[in-house]
Amino acid sequence: QTQLFGVLLAAASNFVISVSLNIQKCAHLRLVCQAEQKPCYTSKLWWCGITLLGLGEVGNFTAYGFAPIALVAPLGCVSVIGSAFISVFFLKKTMRTADILGGTLTITGIYLLVTFTPNVPQELTARQVQNYLVSWPFLVYSILEILIFCILLYFYKRKAVKHIMVLLMMVALLASLTVIAVKAVSSMIALSVKGKMQLTYSVFYIMSVLMATSCAFQIKFLNQAMHLYEATAVVPINFVFFTTSAIISGVIFYREFQSAALLSMFMFLFGCLLSFLGVIIIARNKKEELLQIPFIDCGHIPGQKLTGKIQPDSHCSCYGTLNKEDDLVKRQS
């Protein structure tokens, strides 16, 4: 019953997150269409979306205290398929065949995940977390993760390599630490609420700092990826990397598949594969929406050759710079 509650809470939280994202997008579109441009925080609709986003994230945080990481992390696909279907109502988008196919595959994958995830005890005490922290599998895993992260960081900083795979691999490595810390903190808080005080142990505060730090750097690299690349590429790759990293960390740190049968492990992995495939199909070929911002017509000025608008096409190579022909006319005048 505890694990089922965690599953339902995670699914509901991710659905609320998808609703919140669509509400925020709708609020931004409404503000752009207004004659007088106002910041987003003046919109009640935008604040409604932010509130729902906060509730969804709190629900996700709580779910880690009741269900395994290997089950909660893949349920993030609910927000992807939920956003695809809810956008039909909020943003008046057209339902695509790819959305229906991807949603069907993802829901099938979720069913397999819920059915074949091993039922492991979820009440984690502070002493258990301390023992997991000094266990040799986690120490080996931590050393490998730190080495890989340092190599990626070297290419990112020294060689200025900002490829989408490099950025999202760093996000995934940090995410594995985040989910480990989130589950530990959430479980200790849940036990403390039930009367078994765990907040007096130093490991609770160590895991809280680890959670906040890894989450902050994770957001930094993810934001840069979203800035450099389209969301249609970032979302599916990040989901696959994040989920894979979270499952591996749950298996190594919390030993969630220690007593699982071979068939259960195979069906669980097959469910993950279906979820990944569904998310990729939904995100594939989905075009980014570009807001139509009106330009200022300069009119005709004798002796100068103008394109009829101040800013060039954003897809043009000269975007943000003066055209060479216009610059030559300027120097001659």
Side-chain angles (χ1 to χ4, degrees), residues 196-209:
K196 302 176 182 178
M197 181 54 65
Q198 305 292 314
L199 307 186
T200 55
Y201 291 87
S202 59
V203 70
F204 172 79
Y205 301 98
I206 292 172
M207 298 305 274
S208 297
V209 171

Side-chain angles (χ1 to χ4, degrees), residues 18-331:
S18 66
V19 173
S20 73
L21 294 176
N22 279 278
I23 289 176
Q24 290 178 64
K25 181 71 173 179
C26 185
H28 282 296
L29 291 174
R30 285 188 181 183
L31 288 170
V32 167
C33 292
Q34 291 178 357
E36 183 183 353
Q37 297 299 313
K38 296 180 180 179
C40 57
Y41 56 79
T42 60
S43 171
K44 293 180 180 179
L45 188 63
W46 184 81
W47 279 111
C48 178
I50 289 294
T51 304
L52 287 176
L53 180 63
L55 289 174
E57 293 296 348
V58 170
N60 257 337
F61 173 83
T62 308
Y64 280 103
F66 296 95
I69 291 175
L71 185 54
V72 175
L75 288 176
C77 63
V78 173
S79 64
V80 178
I81 61 173
S83 182
F85 286 95
I86 293 169
S87 62
V88 175
F89 302 99
F90 276 100
L91 304 176
K92 307 300 180 184
K93 291 185 178 179
T94 306
M95 179 69 68
R96 305 177 305 155
T97 306
D99 295 332
I100 299 172
L101 176 61
T104 303
L105 289 174
T106 305
I107 291 170
T108 306
I110 291 172
Y111 173 76
L112 293 176
L113 289 172
V114 174
T115 305
F116 291 99
T117 300
N119 192 1
V120 294
Q122 296 306 314
E123 287 194 350
L124 290 167
T125 63
R127 291 191 181 277
Q128 285 177 308
V129 175
Q130 286 175 348
N131 293 333
Y132 289 148
L133 278 173
V134 295
S135 63
W136 70 264
F138 178 67
L139 292 176
V140 172
Y141 174 72
S142 299
I143 292 170
L144 288 174
E145 189 172 80
I146 291 170
L147 285 174
I148 295 171
F149 185 81
C150 288
I151 292 170
L152 292 172
L153 193 63
Y154 169 77
F155 282 104
Y156 171 77
K157 287 286 188 183
R158 298 288 184 178
K159 303 295 184 180
V161 176
K162 292 181 173 58
H163 192 273
I164 187 171
M165 292 296 182
V166 172
L167 291 169
L168 294 184
M169 280 184 69
M170 289 195 291
V171 171
L173 291 172
L174 291 167
S176 66
L177 297 177
T178 303
V179 294
I180 287 172
V182 165
K183 182 169 181 61
V185 172
S186 180
S187 299
M188 285 188 275
I189 290 176
L191 280 177
S192 299
V193 171
K194 292 178 182 178
K196 302 176 182 178
M197 181 54 65
Q198 305 292 314
L199 307 186
T200 55
Y201 291 87
S202 59
V203 70
F204 172 79
Y205 301 98
I206 292 172
M207 298 305 274
S208 297
V209 171
L210 177 63
M211 176 182 67
T213 306
S214 59
C215 189
F217 283 101
Q218 183 184 335
I219 291 171
K220 168 183 163 39
F221 292 120
L222 185 58
N223 280 339
Q224 183 155 23
M226 289 293 288
H227 176 70
L228 295 174
Y229 302 95
E230 290 187 354
T232 51
V234 175
V235 170
I237 297 173
N238 181 59
F239 172 71
V240 172
F241 281 10
F242 169 82
T243 305
T244 304
S245 177
I247 291 172
I248 292 172
S249 63
V251 169
I252 293 175
F253 189 85
Y254 293 110
R255 303 164 191 177
E256 292 180 344
F257 281 86
Q258 193 171 18
S259 58
L262 185 62
L263 178 62
S264 296
M265 292 179 64
F266 174 78
M267 295 304 292
F268 175 84
L269 293 174
F270 183 62
C272 286
L273 181 62
L274 288 179
S275 298
F276 294 163
L277 186 60
V279 170
I280 291 170
I281 289 174
I282 290 173
R284 188 186 63 177
N285 297 329
K286 183 176 281 188
K287 294 180 181 179
E288 291 284 308
E289 283 194 16
L290 297 175
L291 298 178
Q292 297 298 322
I293 302 175
F295 56 81
I296 303 172
D297 193 346
C298 296
H300 176 69
I301 303 176
Q304 292 193 14
K305 197 174 183 179
L306 297 175
T307 59
K309 56 184 178 181
I310 286 181
Q311 68 269 31
D313 186 0
S314 60
H315 299 290
C316 178
S317 60
C318 62
Y319 180 67
T321 62
L322 290 172
N323 292 328
K324 291 182 180 180
E325 188 175 3
D326 292 342
D327 195 24
L328 179 61
V329 171
K330 184 178 178 181
R331 287 199 302 267

